[in-house]
């Protein structure tokens, strides 16, 4: 098990997340689906509060991603005969995607917003997991 590779996967997840949930890809749709205000419409005081909150949220998210990659690394190591990408896909399909679906189903927004949230969140997780599986099976 290569802890530098695990750390690298954690950093990669943060970069993908910044693109995925930022204005480059799905950020505006994600904000609308959550009924959150756009950054430009917030006051300077609101932005300052959000920035303080986000520092902790990024740190917590990073720790959870490291845990996720560590567990996946162990699964790839002990699951003989399957590629890391296949293992990652089945971990996503069996555990991550249903958990996201369960959380989104009970969201009190419109069905269209729930589908949007499900697709954005589970899509991000799928991309990350497949990349993690590939990286861990080749470099971990």
């Amino acid at each position: 098990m290569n802890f530098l590779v695990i750390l690298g996967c954690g950093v990669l997840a943060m970069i993908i997340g910044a693109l995925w949930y930022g204005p480059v890809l799905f950020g505006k749709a994600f904000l609308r689906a959550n009924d959150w205000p756009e950054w430009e419409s917030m006051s300077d005081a609101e932005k300052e509060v959000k920035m303080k909150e986000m520092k902790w949220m990024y740190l917590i998210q990073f720790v959870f991603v490291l845990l996720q990659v560590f567990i996946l690394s162990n699964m790839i190591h002990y699951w003989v005969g399957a590629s890391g990408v296949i293992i990652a896909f089945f971990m996503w399909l069996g555990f991550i995607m249903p958990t996201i679906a369960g959380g989104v189903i009970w969201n009190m927004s419109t069905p269209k917003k729930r589908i949007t949230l499900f697709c954005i969140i589970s899509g991000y997780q799928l991309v990350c997991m497949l990349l993690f599986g590939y990286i861990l099976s080749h470099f971990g």
Side-chain angles (χ1 to χ4, degrees):
M1 185 175 316
N2 187 333
F3 289 106
L4 284 177
V5 173
I6 291 171
L7 184 63
C9 285
V11 171
L12 178 63
M14 301 308 280
I15 293 168
I16 293 169
L19 294 170
W20 197 271
Y21 291 102
V24 174
L25 294 174
F26 305 109
K28 290 187 185 282
F30 185 73
L31 290 174
R32 280 192 306 271
N34 277 302
D35 294 322
W36 293 346
E38 291 195 29
W39 187 256
E40 296 81 24
S41 68
M42 296 171 72
S43 71
D44 288 340
E46 289 173 315
K47 288 179 184 177
E48 188 176 328
V49 169
K50 293 296 178 196
M51 289 298 288
K52 286 181 183 176
E53 290 173 355
M54 282 195 281
K55 290 175 187 175
W56 288 106
M57 292 187 303
Y58 278 118
L59 178 63
I60 292 166
Q61 180 66 39
F62 186 69
V63 170
F64 285 149
V65 168
L66 292 178
L67 177 64
Q68 184 179 32
V69 176
F70 176 78
I71 298 296
L72 180 60
S73 178
N74 279 287
M75 293 298 294
I76 290 169
H77 178 74
Y78 292 110
W79 195 340
V80 179
S83 77
V85 173
I86 297 297
I87 295 167
F89 174 75
F90 282 113
M91 296 282 289
W92 174 84
L93 185 65
F95 299 100
I96 296 170
M97 187 269 296
T99 302
I100 293 167
V104 171
I105 287 169
W106 297 103
N107 182 313
M108 298 307 283
S109 62
T110 66
K112 181 179 178 183
K113 288 181 179 182
R114 286 184 287 210
I115 291 168
T116 299
L117 286 172
F118 172 76
C119 290
I120 292 171
I121 298 168
S122 64
Y124 165 75
Q125 289 293 325
L126 176 60
V127 167
C128 285
M129 287 296 285
L130 294 178
L131 285 171
F132 296 160
Y134 179 82
I135 292 167
L136 291 168
S137 64
H138 287 84
F139 306 104

